[in-house]
Amino acid sequence: MAIFTGAGVAIVTPFKENREVDYEKFAETIEFQIANKTDAIIVCGTTGEASTLTHEEHLDVIRYCVKCVNGRIPVIAGTGSNCTETAIYLSQEAEKAGVDGILVVTPYYNKATQNGLFEHFKMVADSVKVPMILYNIPGRTGGVNILPETVVRLCTEVENIVGVKDATGNISQVAKCMALADGKVDLYSGNDDQIVPILSLGGKGVISVLSNVAPKETHDICEKFFAGDVEGSCNLQLKALPLINALFSEVNPIPVKKALNLMGKMGGTLRRPLTEMEEGNAKKLKEEMIRFGIINE
């Protein structure tokens, strides 16, 4: 059984003006998500600015999220690193915290071979008992791509590696992976503009940035598709495209934190090297949020 089906939010980590983690606002953000039908929370991923958290902060945020959610929906923790031993440490500590699964990104900077990727992911998975989702995002890992054959091998040979979050944007590669998978790969879209195409290839859902600001609508894209209302699902996907484009007009999570602040949800500030959104892009984002009905003029 999949860790979750539907729309999982790649949740932001709110920071105060002094750039400390704002746990009060984080709790409010979690409650907003659960109240609006988010199917899972993915904590300390790219959108959560995990790369700027210390190991202690990273694990504290995971522990707080698990405690706050209190079993109401699955919590999946980002525990990847370009160092295998660090990924093992973070994964083991996340398991102790009570997460329902882990999301482990392709090692960045090192530029591992396919054999290296296999060994890395296997060693991390073997160090824990919770299920693990691979995270394939070549745009953030120096172009390193987990090939379909490697994804399927990992999901077949390693018991608790259950699937992949695919953010390659390459639908042909996704199709090849699912053709080889023989039902052994739980597939999640890593791109909000490709939810329906991924579902059509047998996907279980999406790990979503859009869900931060439109959790119910993102959930509904998946729910309608699974209920057989493909046309309704597709219409929601197409309606959301201009907003999705605005949310990715600058590097994630710059726009989504701006959007949350516009909603009064207090995404808070960003940690360097990320900076505030440029005025022109922020204006367009606000326009799309108004058009989508998230905020008023």
Side-chain angles (χ1 to χ4, degrees):
M1 178 180 288
I3 304 174
F4 78 96
T5 57
V9 61
I11 201 164
V12 303
T13 303
F15 296 125
K16 302 175 183 178
E17 287 303 312
N18 65 2
R19 295 186 173 84
E20 292 178 356
V21 177
D22 191 333
Y23 285 102
E24 181 180 345
K25 294 301 178 185
F26 190 39
E28 290 177 13
T29 302
I30 290 168
E31 293 304 325
F32 169 70
Q33 289 296 320
I34 293 174
N36 285 277
K37 297 190 175 181
T38 284
D39 297 293
I41 290 179
I42 294 78
V43 60
C44 289
T46 303
T47 312
E49 294 175 81
S51 59
T52 65
L53 299 173
T54 66
H55 292 338
E56 292 78 12
E57 288 175 321
H58 191 138
L59 294 171
D60 283 346
V61 170
I62 291 170
R63 293 180 188 116
Y64 187 87
C65 184
V66 171
K67 182 179 178 181
C68 193
V69 172
N70 194 28
R72 288 176 287 174
I73 57 175
V75 173
I76 299 162
T79 56
S81 173
N82 65 327
C83 170
T84 304
E85 292 302 322
T86 300
I88 287 171
Y89 166 69
L90 293 173
S91 299
Q92 289 176 334
E93 291 300 313
E95 181 176 50
K96 291 175 189 175
V99 299
D100 298 281
I102 56 174
L103 178 70
V104 180
V105 71
T106 310
Y108 38 89
Y109 190 81
N110 307 65
K111 304 193 82 168
T113 63
Q114 295 300 303
N115 285 336
L117 294 177
F118 181 87
E119 289 296 323
H120 170 82
F121 288 122
K122 184 178 187 303
M123 288 176 69
V124 176
D126 285 346
S127 75
V128 295
K129 292 183 173 61
V130 292
M132 177 173 132
I133 299 171
L134 310 169
Y135 182 12
N136 195 16
I137 182 165
R140 287 189 182 261
T141 59
V144 177
N145 182 17
I146 318 173
L147 294 179
E149 293 83 356
T150 306
V151 171
V152 174
R153 183 185 172 201
L154 284 161
C155 290
T156 302
E157 296 183 18
V158 185
E159 184 177 4
N160 59 326
I161 298 181
V162 298
V164 62
K165 173 187 176 183
D166 189 284
T168 63
N170 186 339
I171 291 296
S172 295
Q173 176 172 306
V174 174
K176 181 178 180 180
C177 180
M178 296 308 281
L180 296 172
D182 192 28
K184 295 182 176 70
V185 177
D186 291 340
L187 172 67
Y188 297 94
S189 177
N191 295 320
D192 284 309
D193 61 351
Q194 294 183 342
I195 302 172
V196 172
I198 291 287
L199 295 180
S200 75
L201 290 168
K204 299 290 186 182
V206 60
I207 296 176
S208 170
V209 175
L210 176 66
S211 283
N212 280 281
V213 298
K216 184 180 184 302
E217 292 82 355
T218 314
H219 163 88
D220 287 350
I221 291 172
C222 297
E223 185 175 66
K224 284 179 180 293
F225 188 94
F226 294 138
D229 183 7
V230 176
E231 182 179 1
S233 175
C234 186
N235 287 340
L236 282 176
Q237 170 83 90
L238 296 176
K239 179 184 176 184
L241 280 180
L243 175 58
I244 293 166
N245 291 337
L247 286 169
F248 287 90
S249 59
E250 293 185 26
V251 69
N252 179 47
I254 291 174
V256 73
K257 277 204 159 180
K258 178 67 174 179
L260 286 167
N261 289 333
L262 287 169
M263 293 168 68
K265 298 295 181 187
M266 288 301 294
T269 189
L270 297 142
R271 283 191 175 178
R272 298 299 176 263
L274 300 183
T275 53
E276 296 303 316
M277 198 171 188
E278 294 179 12
E279 186 175 340
N281 290 331
K283 181 174 181 292
K284 179 65 174 175
L285 174 63
K286 184 176 181 180
E287 290 171 355
E288 292 303 335
M289 292 175 70
I290 292 168
R291 184 192 65 83
F292 200 73
I294 294 173
I295 59 174
N296 298 319
E297 293 189 48

